[in-house]
Amino acid sequence: MLAALRKQGEGNKWFSLIDKVGRLDVLELAWGKVKSNAGGCGVDGITVERFDKDSRKRLLAVKEQIDGGSYQPQPVKRVWIPKPGSAEKRPLGMPTVRDRVVQTALKMVIEPIFESRFAEQSYGFRPGRSCRGALRRVDDLLKSGHGHVVDIDIKGYFDAIDQQKLMKLVEERIADGRVLALMRKLLQQGVMEGMRSWEPESGTPQGAVISPLLANIYLNPLDWLLAEAGLEMVRYADDMVILCSEPNQAEQALAKVRQWMESAGLELHPQKTRIVSMNEVGSHFDFLGYRFWRSKRGNRIRHFIRPKSKKKLKGNLKPHTKRTQGECLTAIIAKINPKLKGWYGYFRHASRDALKEIDGWVRGRLRSLLRKRSKRKGRASGADHHRWGNSYFVAQGLFCLEEAQRAEIAGLP
C-alpha cells in the first residue's frame, strides 16, 4: 500500500480498494491480529476459540460477502464494567469476532492512505508512534520555554463525531463506492444492550478496531490549522495540549480551537479546558497519565504519576488482595504481577518515590492478608513489617517497581 501510494503521487484519490479488503490473505492477516488480541464474544455468542475451529471457512464466507456487497455488520454488544477505583461503571462495546476481522482488514488497507497526510504533532494510534513520544515532546517544549499550556478536553469526543462530516473527509482520499458503503455500514452499526437495541446518530462505532483511525481523520484538519498558525500542539487521540511561549498566544490558540470545534460539531469541556501558566510555582497539568508540576525545589518542572492513574491501578489490584482472599499467596502474586509489570511498562520513567509508594501499598495489602490468616485482627502494623519483610515478598516472586527501575537504569537484565 505504501509503495503504491508513493507511485500514485500526492493529491489523488483511491478508486479500487474493496478487492484488497476482501483478499483472503488480507483477511487471514486481520484474523491473526484479532486472535492475538483475544477479547470477548459479540451478540452472536461466537468466541475467538470457536471462530478459530473453522476460521478458513468463516473467512471465505466473509470474503464472498465483501465481494458481493452483502456484508452487514451485526450490532455491538454493550456491557457495563466497573471503573477501577470508583463506584461508577463505564460502557464497553464488544463487536462480533467476524466484524472485528473485517474492521481490521479495512484498517490495514486504508490506514497508509491517511497516515501519509497526518500531521507531525499527532501521536495516538499511529504506526511507530507512542505515548512516550508525545510525553517526550511535551517535556522538550516545556524545557525550551513554552510555559503557557492550553489544556484541551473535548466533551464525549468519540460519541460526538459528526458522521456526515467524517465521511466527507474520508471521501477526499477514497472514491471506491463499495469501501465508502462499507464504512457507512460500520458507522451506522447498531448497539444492543440486553433486549434493547438502537442505531447511534453520531460518533464512531463503540469498541471498533477502526474507531481510533477515524477519530484521527476527524481531528487532522485541526492539527494542520494549528501547525500552519505556528502553534506547538501535541495530540494523542482526543487528549491534547498546546504549548505557547507567551500568555496572549495561549489565549489566541484557545480561541482558534474553540472556533474550530464549533464548526466541527464538537464541544470543549467547560471545566477541564483551561490555560495553565507553568511559570508559577505549584502550577500543574495532566497529560497521558502523568502530572507535569512546577516544583518549589530548584524551581523546575517535574513529572509525576497523576493521582487518577494510581487510583486506577489500586482499583485493579484490590479485588485480588482482599484480606478475605482464599487463594494462596503464590497464586495471588501470579495474578497481580502481570498488572504491575504492565503498569511499570508505561510508568517506568516516573520518580523513584512514586514507584516506591505503590510497592509499599501492595506489600501492605499482602501483609494485612497474611495477618488475618495468622488469626490477628486489624490491618498490618509495624511488627508485621519485620515478620514479613520486603525480602520475604521478593522470595515469593512479587514484582517490585522500584527494583525494576533500578535494574533498568543500571543496565541489568
Side-chain angles (χ1 to χ4, degrees), residues 63-132:
K63 172 180 169 54
E64 184 178 343
Q65 292 172 355
I66 292 175
D67 291 344
S70 63
Y71 173 80
Q72 185 65 44
Q74 294 179 276
V76 173
K77 181 171 72 174
R78 173 179 280 185
V79 295
W80 292 82
I81 62 174
K83 274 188 175 183
S86 171
E88 299 179 11
K89 293 186 177 183
R90 65 179 180 88
L92 177 68
M94 299 173 65
T96 64
V97 176
R98 183 196 68 152
D99 289 343
R100 297 206 294 270
V101 171
V102 174
Q103 291 165 10
T104 303
L106 179 61
K107 178 176 179 287
M108 288 167 59
V109 171
I110 71 171
E111 185 175 54
I113 296 172
F114 293 97
E115 179 63 29
S116 66
R117 293 291 186 89
F118 284 157
E120 183 69 22
Q121 61 266 45
S122 169
Y123 289 84
F125 305 102
R126 295 183 59 189
R129 288 173 166 256
S130 64
C131 291
R132 190 176 302 176

Side-chain angles (χ1 to χ4, degrees), residues 335-356:
K335 286 186 176 180
I336 66 175
N337 268 355
K339 299 179 185 296
L340 289 169
K341 289 177 181 178
W343 196 80
Y344 173 74
Y346 186 80
F347 290 106
R348 65 194 330 129
H349 301 294
S351 67
R352 178 184 170 187
D353 288 344
L355 299 181
K356 186 177 180 179

Side-chain angles (χ1 to χ4, degrees), residues 218-243:
Y218 201 69
L219 286 176
N220 191 49
L222 174 63
D223 295 345
W224 284 108
L225 175 70
L226 296 178
E228 289 165 4
L231 293 167
E232 296 286 0
M233 188 259 275
V234 181
R235 180 174 70 81
Y236 193 97
D238 61 330
D239 201 349
M240 67 187 81
V241 288
I242 306 170
L243 296 99

Side-chain angles (χ1 to χ4, degrees), residues 31 38-39 46-54 97:
W31 159 237
I46 297 175
T47 62
V48 170
E49 292 76 17
R50 183 176 167 188
F51 193 99
D52 191 31
K53 289 180 180 178
D54 54 354
V97 176

Side-chain angles (χ1 to χ4, degrees), residues 152-156 258 267-274:
I152 303 292
D153 188 283
I154 307 174
K155 196 172 181 180
R258 198 181 300 279
E267 182 183 355
L268 294 179
H269 196 291
Q271 282 78 45
K272 296 180 180 179
T273 299
R274 63 196 184 110

Side-chain angles (χ1 to χ4, degrees), residues 169-360:
L169 292 170
V170 172
E171 289 167 9
E172 290 178 4
R173 297 291 282 151
I174 295 176
D176 187 325
R178 291 173 297 173
V179 166
L180 295 174
L182 177 58
M183 293 190 71
R184 288 191 182 94
K185 286 180 181 179
L186 291 173
L187 285 173
Q188 295 162 8
Q189 195 169 4
V191 178
M192 181 173 288
E193 183 178 345
M195 300 300 293
R196 188 168 69 97
S197 63
W198 70 95
E199 289 186 3
E201 297 180 358
S202 62
T204 57
Q206 192 183 75
V209 177
I210 201 169
S211 283
L213 173 60
L214 298 178
N216 275 336
I217 292 171
Y218 201 69
L219 286 176
N220 191 49
L222 174 63
D223 295 345
W224 284 108
L225 175 70
L226 296 178
E228 289 165 4
L231 293 167
E232 296 286 0
M233 188 259 275
V234 181
R235 180 174 70 81
Y236 193 97
D238 61 330
D239 201 349
M240 67 187 81
V241 288
I242 306 170
L243 296 99
C244 306
S245 55
E246 301 292 337
N248 61 329
Q249 187 185 35
E251 295 284 354
Q252 292 168 9
L254 179 55
K256 191 179 288 289
V257 170
R258 198 181 300 279
Q259 183 179 12
W260 185 90
M261 290 289 172
E262 290 176 2
S263 69
L266 300 173
E267 182 183 355
L268 294 179
H269 196 291
Q271 282 78 45
K272 296 180 180 179
T273 299
R274 63 196 184 110
I275 295 176
V276 182
S277 174
M278 292 300 290
N279 298 324
E280 300 174 8
V281 172
S283 58
H284 74 271
F285 68 95
D286 295 337
F287 186 61
L288 298 180
Y290 281 87
R291 170 160 292 180
F292 292 83
W293 178 64
R294 170 69 71 175
S295 69
K296 296 179 181 178
R297 188 171 60 185
N299 193 28
R300 62 190 180 92
I301 295 176
R302 306 175 69 191
H303 51 274
F304 300 92
I305 302 168
R306 70 170 182 168
K308 189 174 180 180
S309 300
K310 290 189 285 188
K311 186 176 182 180
K312 184 176 180 180
L313 174 67
K314 291 178 179 180
N316 280 326
L317 296 178
K318 279 182 178 179
H320 303 291
T321 56
K322 292 180 179 179
R323 283 181 289 173
T324 54
Q325 178 63 260
E327 294 180 295
C328 68
L329 185 62
T330 302
I332 294 171
I333 288 175
K335 286 186 176 180
I336 66 175
N337 268 355
K339 299 179 185 296
L340 289 169
K341 289 177 181 178
W343 196 80
Y344 173 74
Y346 186 80
F347 290 106
R348 65 194 330 129
H349 301 294
S351 67
R352 178 184 170 187
D353 288 344
L355 299 181
K356 186 177 180 179
E357 176 197 339
I358 297 296
D359 282 332

